[in-house]
């Protein structure tokens, strides 16, 4: 039988979110209903509420979630009732040109549930990133569920569903940070701080955190940064070069995603170094660089989609590292809140007071 549950819904552009009763259908073929235990408040959810993704209101927000599989539809083989899972928005198809070339982390045809969740009057909801987990229960495709060790607290495990994975993956997967490398991370909010943690995991010898906010630099230091740069007090490029023997960093990660920070990243890297863009620009942003500089500096300029992660490979591994005490995922959880507190969490996000607010159900 379809279930009625409480959930956070964005009904119109820039309107405050509200807690509504929604209808979750029984899972159909390939679908799963998940009993959500916790879901992080990500900046992407705010983009949805602001209409920055598209205008398919009303939105069912939330996508950084962990919970337990409650029921499964016909043909579901990846997970079973009772499995503890982290939700992801890259459910690889296994058949597109990226998957067929052995690069499923670039999958161009990821799966979502076929059925729609609705308001009680039948109005269909658009789930954020195909998940919609600011809800007591949600309906997803089986491929969006990644089974992990149930010993990991849900408020921590769910963060791998988006922001923390994006940052960790930008360093480990996209940037391919190696032992002894120097790394600079520009922008040390949730994603940038995770990039710092990823660089530390990968064995970087020098990790330079760059931000305007001293609180964020303090958080980054706790996660492994060896040096900090206040971007409002010094020339960022000159400071990074000074900290790397005058050369620049081997890998520079732009976790902000605006032309100014990308240009800083481009010139703060060493010759043949890498620039990784993981901060998401807005559509109107443009960039101008001398083409000769692009050629003469060599190396690589990459964008990082979801940290170029493969959930089935990366989520269980990172949870194991957390349980071993080698990855401090708890450091990202600034506060635990209820469904009714999501709008306030968006405000705190703007103020820079939190790495992550996490809804606990």
């Amino acid at each position: 039988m379809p279930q009625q549950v409480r959930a956070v819904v964005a009904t119109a552009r820039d309107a405050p979110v509200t807690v509504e009763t929604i209808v979750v259908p029984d899972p159909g073929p390939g679908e799963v209903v998940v009993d959500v235990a916790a879901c992080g408040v990500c900046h992407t959810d705010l983009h949805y509420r602001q209409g920055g993704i598209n205008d398919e209101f009303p939105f069912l927000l939330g996508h950084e979630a962990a919970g337990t599989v409650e029921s499964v539809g016909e043909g579901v083989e990846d997970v079973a009732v009772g499995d503890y899972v982290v939700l992801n928005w890259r459910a690889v198809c296994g058949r597109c040109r990226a998957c067929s070339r052995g690069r499923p982390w670039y999958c161009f045809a990821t799966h979502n549930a076929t059925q729609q969740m609705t308001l009680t009057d039948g109005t269909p909801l658009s789930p954020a990133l195909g998940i919609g987990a600011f809800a007591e229960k949600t309906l997803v495709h089986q491929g969006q569920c990644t089974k992990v060790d149930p010993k990991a607290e849900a408020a921590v495990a769910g963060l791998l569903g988006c922001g923390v994975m994006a940052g960790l993956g930008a360093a480990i997967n996209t940037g391919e940070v190696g032992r002894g490398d120097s790394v600079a991370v520009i922008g040390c909010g949730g994603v940038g701080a995770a990039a710092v943690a990823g660089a530390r995991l990968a064995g970087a010898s020098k990790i330079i955190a760059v931000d305007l906010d001293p609180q964020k630099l303090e958080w980054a230091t706790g996660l492994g940064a060896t040096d900090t740069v206040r971007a409002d007090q010094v020339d960022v490029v000159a400071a990074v070069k000074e900290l790397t023997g005058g050369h620049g960093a081997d890998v520079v990660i732009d976790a902000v995603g605006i032309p100014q920070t990308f240009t800083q990243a481009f010139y703060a890297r060493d010759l043949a170094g890498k620039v990784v863009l993981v901060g998401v620009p807005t559509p109107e942003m443009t960039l101008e660089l001398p083409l000769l500089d692009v050629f003469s500096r060599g190396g690589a300029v990459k964008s990082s989609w979801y940290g170029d992660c493969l959930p089935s490979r990366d989520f269980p591994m990172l949870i194991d590292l957390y349980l071993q005490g080698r990855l401090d995922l708890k450091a990202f959880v600034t506060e635990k809140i209820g469904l009714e507190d999501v709008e306030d969490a968006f405000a705190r996000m703007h103020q820079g007071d939190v790495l992550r607010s996490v809804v606990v159900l």
Side-chain angles (χ1 to χ4, degrees), residues 75-131:
V76 171
E77 298 177 349
D78 295 349
V79 292
V81 172
D83 281 349
Y84 181 62
V85 297
V86 174
L87 301 184
N88 73 81
W89 48 268
R90 174 166 285 159
V92 300
C93 72
R95 295 183 298 276
C96 72
R97 59 194 186 279
C99 289
S100 65
R101 293 172 182 170
R103 302 169 185 166
W105 48 91
Y106 293 139
C107 180
F108 302 136
T110 59
H111 294 300
N112 292 319
T114 301
Q115 299 182 91
Q116 287 185 290
M117 293 173 277
T118 68
L119 296 174
T120 53
D121 65 2
T123 302
L125 293 162
S126 300
L129 291 175
I131 294 176

Side-chain angles (χ1 to χ4, degrees), residues 12-14 45-55 57 59:
R13 181 187 293 265
D14 282 330
D45 294 305
L46 181 58
H47 280 323
Y48 273 101
R49 174 170 97 41
Q50 293 171 330
I53 306 294
N54 56 54
D55 287 317
F57 290 93
F59 290 114

Side-chain angles (χ1 to χ4, degrees), residues 234-261:
V234 298
D235 180 282
V236 168
V237 174
V240 171
K241 288 189 172 183
E242 182 179 352
L243 289 165
T244 53
H247 306 300
D250 296 307
V251 181
V252 183
I253 298 169
D254 177 5
V256 180
I258 60 175
Q260 179 185 1
T261 55

Side-chain angles (χ1 to χ4, degrees), residues 205-238:
S205 60
K206 182 173 284 290
I207 305 170
I208 304 163
V210 182
D211 205 285
L212 301 166
D213 186 345
Q215 175 61 70
K216 291 179 180 177
L217 293 176
E218 182 179 334
W219 286 330
T221 299
L223 287 162
T226 59
D227 301 271
T228 61
V229 171
R230 279 284 298 273
D232 57 341
Q233 295 182 351
V234 298
D235 180 282
V236 168
V237 174

